[in-house]
């Protein structure tokens, strides 16, 4: 209910926008009287593009109707009688409207709630600015755009008023012109009159004709001036429209698309399209009004031709306004929900395209069909250069046709492709060392529709973000690398799909941190120490100074084409392995700060050396993709755990199993950190059976030492007894050589040991 309370405090244009959200599709009274109930429901948990969610939406509809009916029954007394009838009527109305399409109700309410939240946030930002604080940059930009719309509205209203004056003046001119023709006809008919009468009448009519013709001459000049002035005003308005359209389409919409692309790497959500759509609809409305005015001017000119350049001027204006509206329509045909950028053949996928001005231009009156095809990078280049008018395909997509639907509740015109599947793909010849997971395709969506009763016909196209096609899950890792690099470093307006081959290390750090935080669903991303560790791995460096890496560049080959020194995997494959392991099994422990992770073996030993026995830490394996190991004081290194291991027993339970582990580095008792994740003890025996329990154990330290000491001591004994090298010239033991062997054995014993844990089944 807190949101509704804040929404009621809105003023001016914001209040008007909030009120416009409601109507017969969802009365504002329902929002008011069920505010708390509406805001407590999990509307966002319903996937609108999934038909299987219809049952969930139906329950929400039934519950909403029941709440309304209950609220109606609670109304009593004389004052509550009318409200009781009203709420009951709304319950029946909503039931009737959405019973067959409950997902539309969810779509409507989600749109209302998100719009209210946006309006309240914008109002809050604005109020902070008036309080002496700097207004949010976004709010300032929005305010400038809204001010420009107000200027355009006033300019359009002014030309409308001037056009009406011109029309009124021209109509009066035509009346007077007809009067002049009538006078001339009368003069022509005077020949049949007697001479005396004819002379008298002729003098009067000629005088009257002279007066009318003089007025017509002056008025024709005035009309021409009115026309020229109006044409000049229209030129100025078109200039303002172009400027506003450029700001919205080339800046705001492009920024939204860039945010959408970064969201593919885990960046913040691109934000709703409601604000952009409202701007585009205002543009469409103003453009259409001016176009209609210019058309009326053309009609007036044809109705009363006058000498001068008006025909050429109006033709130019008409051409310009048509170009403006064409640019608006073609640019606002966008992909609201992108297809997956790693696209596996024979796998279902979805996408949504939307025409931001569809509702305003009444395109939905004859719903257009949208077709989706997959094209190669070269085909995409040709399309953007207009070198190819025929859309050739590089593969076959099933269920690739969809009719655009108008959603009255939200005022959106969109096509939801829910069950597309890539049946086959045709690959191009690869260049150099390029692999199939570096080849980029794109999904092309195209449609055709008319506006203004077939006055204008548009053929619109839009390209998805680049997609990498795979045929097996094992290719996902490398395909994701291609997508991440493209999303992170693509420049707006690029030729498809060119990206730099090298980037600065800090730029890649930003992309990796964005990806990592998104996968962990946490604000805890990669620290400076973590990034130094990654730089050491990427550049095979030992420097611990972050400044040393700030001006270094990393190439695509270093990122995911060349293997790390001494390994059979690339930098990205190692990093992605860590991300997958953390995402599937260890996310809570990372968010708790329990995993250091990005620490090498020597660093771990140095950190633990000064700590009490039983202190341990968790670090990612350098030698195995997607592995994590436990290092603890003495110093033992367990064989790295992988996803396979954690599918058998969790990390927390494994740590609980190992009694040698006492403190998580630096000094936190392990139970304080991990106890909440331990698996509860098994219940008592049922029907005489005791369920076995798997528990991890490692060999006792003493046993390990014995196992290692026995062969070493045996070796030492053999060396001492049998080796001639140990005897001096008199046949006695050489003490110095003997001590060398002893020191060698001691050094072997001091080396860290890698312990192989195993499981015991206990009852």
């Amino acid at each position: 209910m807190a949101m509704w309370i804040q929404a009621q405090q809105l003023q001016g244009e914001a209040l008007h926008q909030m009120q416009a959200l409601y109507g017969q599709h969802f009365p504002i009274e329902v929002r008011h009287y069920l505010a708390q109930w509406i805001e407590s429901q999990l509307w966002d948990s319903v996937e609108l593009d999934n038909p299987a969610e219809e049952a969930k939406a139906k329950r929400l509809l039934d519950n909403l109707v029941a709440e309304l009916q209950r609220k109606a029954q609670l109304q009593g007394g004389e004052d509550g009688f009318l409200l009781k009838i009203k709420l009951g009527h709304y319950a029946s109305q909503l039931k009737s409207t959405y019973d067959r399409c409950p997902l539309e109700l969810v779509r409507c309410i989600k749109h209302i709630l998100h719009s209210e939240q946006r309006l309240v946030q914008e109002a809050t930002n604005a109020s902070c600015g008036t309080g002496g604080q700097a207004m949010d940059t976004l709010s300032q930009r929005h305010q400038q755009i809204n001010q420009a719309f107000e200027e355009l509205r006033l300019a359009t209203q002014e030309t409308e008023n001037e056009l009406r004056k011109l029309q009124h003046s021209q109509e009066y001119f035509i009346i007077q012109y007809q009067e002049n023709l009538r006078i001339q006809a009368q003069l022509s008919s005077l020949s049949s009159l007697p001479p005396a009468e004819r002379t008298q009448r002729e003098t009067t009519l000629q005088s009257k004709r002279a007066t009318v013709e003089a007025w017509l001459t002056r008025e024709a000049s005035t009309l021409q001036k009115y026309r020229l002035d109006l044409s000049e005003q229209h030129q100025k308005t078109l200039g303002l429209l172009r400027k506003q359209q450029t700001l919205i389409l080339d800046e705001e919409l492009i920024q939204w698309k860039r945010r959408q692309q970064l969201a593919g790497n885990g960046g913040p959500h691109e934000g709703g399209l409601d604000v952009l759509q409202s701007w585009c609809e205002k543009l469409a409305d103003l453009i259409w009004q001016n176009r209609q005015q210019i058309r009326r001017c053309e009609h007036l000119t044809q109705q009363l031709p006058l000498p001068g350049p008006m025909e050429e001027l109006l033709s130019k204006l008409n051409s310009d306004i048509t170009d403006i509206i064409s640019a608006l329509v073609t640019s606002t045909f966008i992909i609201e929900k992108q297809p997956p950028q790693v696209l596996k053949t024979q796998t279902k996928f979805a996408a949504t395209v939307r025409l931001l001005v569809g509702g305003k231009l009444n395109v939905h009156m004859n719903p257009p069909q949208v077709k989706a095809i997959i094209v190669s990078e070269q085909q995409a280049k040709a399309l953007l250069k207009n070198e190819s008018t025929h859309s050739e395909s590089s593969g076959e997509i099933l269920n690739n046709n969809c009719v655009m639907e108008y959603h009255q509740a939200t005022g959106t015109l969109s096509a939801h492709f829910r069950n597309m599947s890539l049946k086959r793909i045709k690959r191009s010849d690869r260049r150099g060392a390029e692999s199939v997971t570096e080849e980029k395709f794109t999904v092309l969506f195209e449609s055709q529709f008319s506006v203004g009763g077939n006055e204008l016909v548009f053929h619109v196209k839009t390209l998805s973000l680049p997609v990498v096609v795979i045929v097996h899950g094992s290719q996902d890792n490398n395909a994701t690398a291609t997508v991440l690099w493209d999303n992170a470093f693509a420049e707006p307006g690029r030729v498809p799909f060119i990206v730099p081959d090298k980037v600065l290390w800090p730029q890649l750090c930003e992309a990796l941190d964005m990806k990592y935080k998104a996968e962990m669903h946490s604000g805890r991303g990669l620290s400076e120490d973590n990034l130094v560790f990654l730089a050491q791995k990427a550049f095979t460096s030992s420097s611990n100074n972050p400044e040393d890496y700030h001006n270094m560049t990393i190439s695509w080959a270093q990122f995911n084409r060349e293997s790390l020194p001494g390994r059979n995997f690339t930098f990205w494959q190692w990093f992605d392995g860590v991300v997958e392991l953390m995402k599937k099994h260890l996310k809570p422990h990372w968010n708790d700060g329990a995993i250091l992770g990005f620490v090498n073996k020597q660093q771990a030993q140095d950190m633990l050396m000064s700590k009490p026995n039983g202190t341990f830490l968790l670090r990612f394996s350098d030698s195995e993709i997607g592995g994590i190991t436990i290092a603890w004081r003495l110093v033992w290194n367990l064989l790295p755990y992988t996803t396979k291991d954690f599918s058998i027993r969790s990390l927390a339970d494994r740590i609980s199993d190992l009694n040698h582990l006492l403190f998580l580095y630096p000094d936190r008792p392990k139970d304080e950190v991990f106890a909440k994740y331990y698996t509860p003890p098994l219940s008592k025996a049922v029907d005489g059976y005791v369920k076995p329990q798997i528990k991890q154990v490692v060999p006792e330290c003493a046993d390990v030492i014995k196992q290692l000491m026995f062969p070493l001591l045996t070796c030492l004994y053999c060396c001492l007894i049998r080796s001639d090298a140990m005897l001096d010239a008199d046949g006695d033991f050489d003490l110095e050589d003997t001590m060398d062997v002893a020191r060698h054995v001691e050094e072997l014993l001091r080396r860290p040991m890698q312990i192989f844990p195993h499981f015991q089944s206990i009852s």
Side-chain angles (χ1 to χ4, degrees):
M1 191 169 181
M3 179 60 67
W4 181 239
I5 292 173
Q6 294 178 72
Q8 293 177 76
Q9 309 303 314
L10 295 172
Q11 297 179 355
E13 177 63 21
L15 179 61
H16 176 73
Q17 289 184 39
M18 188 269 284
Q19 291 171 336
L21 296 171
Y22 298 95
Q24 288 187 346
H25 60 280
F26 197 82
I28 195 169
E29 292 87 346
V30 176
R31 176 70 174 99
H32 181 75
Y33 288 104
L34 295 188
Q36 186 171 354
W37 184 87
I38 289 172
E39 292 179 27
S40 67
Q41 303 307 301
L42 301 176
W43 305 103
D44 285 332
S45 68
V46 181
E47 297 180 25
L48 297 175
D49 296 333
N50 185 359
E53 296 280 86
E54 190 163 311
K56 189 187 292 186
K58 183 69 164 59
R59 286 195 297 272
L60 284 167
L61 169 61
D62 292 341
N63 292 340
L64 173 65
V65 170
E67 280 294 314
L68 266 176
Q69 292 171 338
R70 187 184 67 80
K71 194 77 173 178
Q73 293 304 317
L74 292 176
Q75 306 306 315
E78 186 176 337
D79 294 336
F81 177 71
L82 290 177
L83 182 57
K84 179 178 181 178
I85 294 175
K86 209 172 196 179
L87 293 179
H89 169 71
Y90 290 147
S92 301
Q93 177 183 314
L94 292 173
K95 179 74 172 174
S96 172
T97 303
Y98 296 109
D99 198 44
R100 293 187 178 181
C101 51
L103 285 171
E104 288 304 308
L105 171 72
V106 177
R107 188 190 304 276
C108 169
I109 294 179
K110 285 174 71 171
H111 171 71
I112 286 172
L113 293 177
H114 291 165
S115 298
E116 286 180 354
Q117 187 175 22
R118 172 182 58 80
L119 290 169
V120 167
Q121 185 61 51
E122 289 177 356
T124 302
N125 292 340
S127 64
C128 290
T130 55
Q133 300 177 6
M135 187 180 290
D136 182 78
T137 305
L138 182 65
S139 297
Q140 285 184 344
R141 197 163 65 244
H142 287 193
Q143 188 178 40
Q144 290 171 358
I145 290 172
N146 290 331
Q147 287 175 348
F149 271 125
E150 181 61 18
E151 291 177 24
L152 280 165
R153 187 189 67 80
L154 293 174
T156 302
Q157 184 61 53
E158 185 177 349
T159 51
E160 175 66 26
N161 294 337
E162 292 300 318
L163 180 57
R164 287 177 180 173
K165 290 179 183 178
L166 173 61
Q167 184 175 355
H168 177 75
S169 298
Q170 182 165 313
E171 288 171 353
Y172 187 68
F173 180 92
I174 291 172
I175 291 172
Q176 293 301 108
Y177 182 77
Q178 292 297 325
E179 176 66 16
N180 187 50
L181 293 178
R182 188 180 66 80
I183 293 172
Q184 287 182 355
Q186 287 178 340
L187 283 170
S188 300
S189 64
L190 291 180
S191 58
S192 60
L193 295 177
E197 184 180 354
R198 181 177 61 194
T199 302
Q200 183 182 1
R201 294 284 302 277
E202 187 175 25
T203 302
T204 304
L205 288 172
Q206 285 178 345
S207 173
K208 192 173 182 180
R209 184 179 68 177
T211 302
V212 171
E213 286 181 348
W215 182 90
L216 288 173
T217 301
R218 291 194 308 272
E219 190 63 17
S221 177
T222 303
L223 282 176
Q224 188 71 320
K225 185 176 183 304
Y226 280 170
R227 289 177 178 180
L228 290 171
D229 289 346
L230 186 56
S231 176
E232 186 178 338
Q233 284 180 278
H234 275 129
Q235 286 178 331
K236 290 180 180 178
T237 303
L238 263 57
L240 292 174
L241 281 169
R242 277 200 197 91
K243 183 179 178 181
Q244 183 79 329
Q245 184 160 294
T246 299
L247 179 61
I248 292 170
L249 299 184
D250 294 351
E251 293 187 29
E252 296 295 327
L253 185 56
I254 293 298
Q255 287 177 19
W256 180 88
K257 289 182 177 180
R258 180 60 182 149
R259 292 194 299 271
Q260 184 186 52
Q261 187 170 24
L262 289 176
N265 279 2
H269 190 267
E270 62 269 22
L273 283 165
D274 293 342
V275 174
L276 271 170
Q277 175 162 317
S278 69
W279 289 341
C280 292
E281 286 181 337
K282 286 180 181 179
L283 271 173
D285 195 27
L286 288 164
I287 292 169
W288 198 256
Q289 286 183 46
N290 279 274
R291 185 174 185 273
Q292 294 303 101
Q293 289 179 13
I294 293 168
R295 295 291 297 276
R296 284 158 59 194
C297 286
E298 286 182 320
H299 176 71
L300 291 175
T301 302
Q302 292 167 2
Q303 186 184 43
L304 181 62
L306 293 173
M310 278 309 302
E311 286 189 17
E312 292 80 2
L313 286 173
L314 289 173
S315 178
K316 178 70 166 55
L317 285 173
N318 198 19
S319 175
D320 289 347
I321 198 78
T322 301
D323 288 344
I324 292 173
I325 197 168
S326 297
L328 178 65
V329 172
T330 55
S331 298
T332 54
F333 182 65
I334 63 171
I335 303 173
E336 182 177 9
K337 179 184 177 183
Q338 291 281 342
Q341 288 188 264
V342 176
L343 192 56
K344 188 178 178 184
T345 56
Q346 310 296 333
T347 303
K348 188 175 79 169
F349 68 95
T352 301
V353 294
R354 180 167 164 182
L355 182 62
L356 298 181
V357 295
K360 181 60 68 174
L361 297 179
N362 293 322
V363 175
H364 59 282
M365 301 304 289
N366 185 19
Q369 186 175 78
V370 183
K371 183 180 181 180
I373 61 173
I374 190 162
V375 297
S376 68
E377 184 173 334
Q378 291 302 321
Q379 289 168 335
K381 289 177 182 177
L383 282 169
L384 290 188
K385 291 179 181 178
N386 292 321
E387 293 176 358
S388 173
T389 54
H390 177 65
S391 302
E392 298 180 359
S393 173
S394 286
E396 181 181 355
I397 299 178
L398 302 178
N399 303 317
N400 65 329
N401 287 287
C402 185
V403 175
M404 299 195 86
E405 300 175 356
Y406 182 67
H407 306 280
Q408 187 174 3
T410 57
T412 59
L413 182 70
S414 55
H416 301 279
F417 293 84
R418 296 182 174 89
N419 297 295
M420 288 192 289
S421 177
L422 182 60
K423 184 178 180 181
R424 62 177 181 84
I425 190 69
K426 178 184 176 183
R427 296 192 182 276
S428 58
D429 295 332
R430 294 191 292 279
R431 303 181 294 268
E434 185 182 82
S435 69
V436 294
T437 55
E438 294 178 42
E439 185 179 5
K440 300 171 190 175
F441 295 87
T442 180
V443 180
L444 167 68
F445 296 91
E446 54 184 345
S447 182
Q448 183 171 309
F449 50 83
S450 60
V451 171
N454 293 324
E455 277 186 46
L456 300 172
V457 177
F458 297 103
H459 184 198
V460 294
K461 301 179 181 182
T462 186
L463 295 173
S464 75
L465 293 173
V467 300
V468 179
V469 177
I470 63 174
V471 297
H472 193 274
S474 61
Q475 298 173 308
D476 184 83
N477 177 285
N478 292 322
T480 302
T482 301
V483 167
L484 181 136
W485 190 276
D486 192 279
N487 286 345
F489 309 123
E491 293 290 336
R494 64 173 171 172
V495 175
F497 290 106
I498 294 176
V499 284
D501 184 61
K502 290 183 178 181
V503 296
L504 287 171
W505 172 250
Q507 291 178 283
L508 181 61
C509 288
E510 184 179 352
L512 295 178
D513 181 54
M514 182 183 292
K515 179 75 172 177
Y516 196 83
K517 281 194 289 191
E519 297 292 359
M520 296 302 106
H521 296 109
S522 168
R524 185 194 172 203
L526 301 173
S527 67
E528 187 173 69
D529 289 341
N530 299 155
L531 295 173
V532 167
F533 171 88
L534 292 174
Q536 291 172 338
K537 185 174 288 292
F539 299 113
T540 319
S541 169
S542 59
S543 172
N544 291 318
N545 185 2
E547 299 294 329
D548 291 344
Y549 304 104
H550 278 187
N551 295 319
M552 294 182 70
T553 59
I554 182 168
S555 67
W556 165 252
Q558 289 173 288
F559 181 67
N560 194 48
R561 190 177 284 171
E562 301 168 353
S563 294
L564 293 171
R567 308 296 182 196
N568 62 352
F569 48 79
T570 66
F571 171 83
W572 164 256
Q573 288 167 349
W574 181 88
F575 181 81
D576 187 59
V578 166
V579 172
E580 286 300 307
L581 176 73
M582 299 295 290
K583 180 173 66 173
K584 291 178 180 177
H585 300 286
L586 307 178
K587 190 188 304 180
H589 304 305
W590 173 266
N591 293 335
D592 288 347
I595 297 176
L596 288 179
F598 300 95
V599 177
N600 64 39
K601 186 180 291 187
Q602 186 59 53
Q603 287 175 319
Q605 293 173 11
D606 294 342
M607 293 166 69
L608 292 169
M609 196 60 69
S610 62
K611 296 299 177 182
N613 289 344
T615 304
F616 68 98
L617 59 80
L618 297 159
R619 51 173 287 271
F620 300 130
S621 170
D622 288 310
S623 59
E624 184 161 358
I625 293 178
I628 191 169
T629 186
I630 300 174
W632 79 87
R633 175 74 172 85
L634 277 180
V635 174
W636 313 113
N637 292 290
L638 289 184
L639 190 72
Y641 301 121
T642 63
T643 290
K644 182 179 178 181
D645 299 307
F646 292 132
S647 65
I648 299 171
R649 189 157 177 79
S650 72
L651 175 66
D653 287 338
R654 290 171 181 271
I655 289 173
S656 174
D657 293 341
L658 301 178
N659 295 326
H660 306 296
L661 307 183
L662 301 176
F663 303 100
L664 178 67
Y665 182 88
D667 54 9
R668 297 168 69 187
K670 73 173 184 181
D671 289 342
E672 178 185 301
V673 180
F674 296 100
K676 59 184 176 181
Y677 302 110
Y678 295 160
T679 300
L682 294 174
S683 57
K684 296 180 180 180
V686 179
D687 297 331
Y689 290 99
V690 177
K691 186 176 180 181
Q693 178 182 355
I694 294 176
K695 185 174 182 180
Q696 178 184 243
V697 296
V698 296
E700 290 293 331
C701 298
D703 294 338
V704 176
I705 293 173
K706 287 177 184 178
Q707 293 170 19
L708 294 173
M709 283 288 286
F710 181 75
L712 288 171
L713 291 174
T714 301
C715 176
L716 176 60
Y717 175 77
C718 293
C719 290
L720 292 174
I721 300 302
R722 299 178 184 176
S723 176
D724 292 340
M726 297 297 178
L727 301 177
D728 59 17
D730 299 327
D732 296 325
F733 287 110
D734 189 315
L735 181 59
E736 185 175 345
D737 287 344
T738 304
M739 291 304 296
D740 284 343
V741 173
R743 280 192 289 270
H744 180 64
V745 172
E746 182 182 15
E747 182 184 347
L748 290 174
L749 289 173
R750 285 183 179 275
R751 289 182 181 177
M753 290 172 284
Q754 183 161 279
I755 308 302
F756 296 81
H758 59 273
F759 286 114
Q760 287 181 348
S761 181
I762 59 175
S763 299

